[in-house]
Amino acid sequence: NNFRVVDLGVMVPAQDIIDAAIREKADAVGLSGLITPSLDEMIHVASEMKRQSLNIPLMVGGATTSKRHTAVRIAPAAGNAVVHVADASLAVPVCQKLISVTQRELYVAAIKDEYEAIKRDFEENSSSVKTISYAEAKRRRLVTDWKKSEIVKPSKTGVTVFRDYSIKELRGYINWSFVLKAWEMDGKSGVETDKLIKDANKLLDIIEGDKLLKAHGVIGLFRASANDDGDIDLFDGPDKLGTVHCLRQQQDRGEGKPSLSLSDYVAPAGSGVDDYAGMFAVTAGIGLDDLVRSYEKKKDDYSAIMVKVLADRLAEAFAERLHQIVRTDLWGYSRHEKLTLDEMFRVKYRGIRPAPGYPACPDHSEKKVIFNILDVEKNCGMALTENFMMLPVASVSGYYFAHPESVYFAVSGVSDEQRADYEIRKRRG
């Protein structure tokens, strides 16, 4: 079969996708996600297609997607067939089956049965996990002797802005395993991976030499305290800047193992101890849209995709570098840290930098607090969509915690009681 493909570009609003599909009389819609927030956007597109009765198949793929996520989250939101395409090379045969008069019905039915089985298995496994009450989870919080805790006052509190950060320096902090993963070459070695990395570095040479991408970042380090609601209040002197709202684990991890919340890593208001927390936002995507368009005009799809991957990796590298600066200088709680890049990638440092939308703090809307307090739009040229995705897409934001026992964790088993309490706290601000 011959296919006509209409490429709408990067970060296209759901309504524009739907309008284009109707206008072009499309037989299918395809979505690709290179970064985790794309997953929520895919759910939104699927639900909007259903709401507006656009009953054509939806294909999803990309480095961040999986068959299980498609079956559990995206397919239930859709009104028509949804298919996870594991590899770009499979897109054409999948599309052939979806539009074939003779194959479509059986193929869609088989996919639906498979996904329902995956979803059922996921729900059964989830329901078998023992949970505890919200009151019991709060009782099992991480306990710290704050009077004996090693709390370091930042050498510089308040907001610090980094404009036009060196792309040359950030290249040294790139985790190349994620570049390979984006091209579905992780775990492989040899001629193909060597060529991919060589091509990427050639493109980085051009980006750096011609200043085609700009990297801006902002950090805020503030006095902080955990309040009675289990959230974190941030202060500039006597003035309260805002509140970071936190969820707590309710999965039964066994007596003696804490049910964690990010607020456990900050001293309570009544402890008599001055504690601190931070937040950040970075982007390496200023100029990315123009660069992508320039390659697309040349019909150079390989370079257009590669610059998206590299901008994303530069943003992650920027986050890694600024966290290092925070630990060793601006906050300085690990001034004598001497870690290799590999050790940093394996989180061998003290402290964590969790991000809204990820397991420890799964609520994407909390990015608004970061953007407001750090004036991210002014300082970095970044913005949030209505679904709290960051623009440019090659951007990262999150928090800094220095507690010696802080670890990354996943919030799970959240009860209706905690959800209701969380919603009340969010409305209160």
Side-chain angles (χ1 to χ4, degrees):
N1 290 356
N2 293 319
F3 293 97
R4 185 171 68 89
V5 178
V6 179
D7 185 359
L8 300 182
V10 180
M11 269 303 298
V12 181
Q15 191 57 53
D16 289 357
I17 294 172
I18 292 169
D19 290 345
I22 294 171
R23 181 177 66 250
E24 301 293 337
K25 299 180 180 178
D27 294 303
V29 169
L31 304 175
S32 179
L34 290 175
I35 57 177
T36 304
S38 304
L39 298 176
D40 289 318
E41 290 293 319
M42 289 178 175
I43 297 168
H44 178 59
V45 171
S47 63
E48 281 300 295
M49 288 175 66
K50 178 180 180 180
R51 188 178 69 83
Q52 298 182 47
S53 301
L54 182 60
N55 296 316
I56 60 175
L58 176 64
M59 298 187 297
V60 300
T64 60
T65 63
S66 70
K67 184 180 287 188
R68 188 175 78 165
H69 182 272
T70 304
V72 174
R73 296 290 308 281
I74 302 176
N80 206 12
V82 179
V83 183
H84 177 252
V85 183
D87 187 283
S89 64
L90 301 174
V92 171
V94 167
C95 212
Q96 286 176 328
K97 292 175 183 176
L98 288 172
I99 67 175
S100 168
V101 174
T102 58
Q103 297 183 66
R104 179 177 57 219
E105 188 173 342
L106 287 175
Y107 179 66
V108 169
I111 290 290
K112 184 178 179 181
D113 288 344
E114 180 186 7
Y115 286 7
E116 285 181 350
I118 292 172
K119 183 173 181 288
R120 187 166 57 251
D121 182 61
F122 174 81
E123 290 172 345
E124 287 174 356
N125 288 335
S126 298
S127 63
S128 67
V129 175
K130 186 179 178 183
T131 60
I132 56 178
S133 70
Y134 185 33
E136 177 63 13
K138 289 189 285 186
R139 187 187 72 78
R140 293 189 191 182
R141 71 187 185 281
L142 178 69
V143 177
T144 299
D145 187 342
W146 293 104
K147 294 294 185 181
K148 295 181 180 179
S149 185
E150 181 192 351
I151 293 178
V152 177
K153 180 180 180 180
S155 53
K156 183 181 186 299
T157 56
V159 174
T160 303
V161 179
F162 299 81
R163 298 283 295 185
D164 294 330
Y165 202 89
S166 168
I167 297 294
K168 180 178 181 180
E169 183 177 335
L170 294 182
R171 289 176 67 171
Y173 288 81
I174 289 177
N175 188 335
W176 287 97
S177 65
F178 284 97
V179 176
L180 298 178
K181 184 177 180 180
W183 290 91
E184 298 175 346
M185 296 176 68
D186 54 319
K188 300 179 182 179
S189 61
V191 176
E192 287 186 47
T193 56
D194 290 345
K195 181 182 183 303
L196 183 72
I197 291 175
K198 185 177 180 180
D199 290 345
N201 274 300
K202 283 182 179 179
L203 198 47
L204 282 169
D205 288 339
I206 296 170
I207 289 170
E208 179 188 332
D210 295 345
K211 303 184 188 304
L212 299 177
L213 293 178
K214 289 184 180 294
H216 304 321
V218 58
I219 286 171
L221 299 175
F222 309 104
R223 186 170 63 83
S225 63
N227 62 35
D228 292 339
D229 291 330
D231 295 325
I232 301 168
D233 294 326
L234 300 175
F235 299 89
D236 180 14
D239 300 323
K240 180 178 168 181
L241 296 171
T243 299
V244 175
H245 302 95
C246 305
L247 288 165
R248 183 174 295 280
Q249 292 177 316
Q250 284 185 253
Q251 182 176 344
D252 189 354
R253 303 177 66 232
E255 191 67 45
K257 292 185 178 180
S259 296
L260 295 171
S261 167
L262 290 176
S263 62
D264 291 348
Y265 298 143
V266 178
S271 65
V273 173
D274 282 339
D275 203 356
Y276 301 88
M279 49 181 53
F280 72 94
V282 299
T283 184
I286 305 298
L288 177 60
D289 288 348
D290 290 340
L291 188 54
V292 169
R293 279 193 290 268
S294 71
Y295 283 116
E296 289 176 339
K297 285 181 181 178
K298 299 173 187 175
K299 306 297 182 184
D300 186 355
D301 292 335
Y302 177 65
S303 295
I305 295 171
M306 181 65 85
V307 294
K308 297 174 194 176
V309 173
L310 291 176
D312 186 51
R313 286 301 99 204
L314 286 169
E316 293 288 351
F318 199 2
E320 193 76 68
R321 173 58 180 143
L322 288 194
H323 194 191
Q324 183 186 44
I325 290 172
V326 165
R327 297 191 305 271
T328 60
D329 183 16
L330 292 181
W331 196 332
Y333 58 83
S334 294
R335 289 195 182 280
H336 303 295
E337 175 185 291
K338 300 291 182 183
L339 296 177
T340 65
L341 191 60
D342 182 62
E343 287 171 328
M344 280 193 280
F345 290 157
R346 289 187 288 119
V347 197
K348 296 300 182 180
Y349 46 75
R350 170 181 161 180
I352 57 173
R353 61 167 192 275
Y358 287 78
C361 39
D363 181 3
H364 282 283
S365 72
E366 282 295 292
K367 291 173 189 168
K368 288 193 299 183
V369 179
I370 296 174
F371 271 61
N372 290 339
I373 291 177
L374 299 183
D375 202 354
V376 174
E377 186 169 355
K378 175 185 175 183
N379 288 321
C380 298
M382 296 163 60
L384 289 175
T385 69
E386 62 179 7
N387 295 310
F388 310 108
M389 194 167 183
M390 291 177 288
L391 296 176
V393 290
S395 301
V396 184
S397 63
Y399 311 113
Y400 294 130
F401 297 98
H403 193 292
E405 295 181 52
S406 60
V407 293
Y408 292 102
F409 61 89
V411 170
S412 57
V414 176
S415 65
D416 291 341
E417 180 188 9
Q418 182 174 182
R419 286 192 185 92
D421 181 68
Y422 183 76
E423 290 173 4
I424 290 170
R425 287 185 273 135
K426 289 272 287 185
R427 286 197 295 270
R428 201 158 51 220

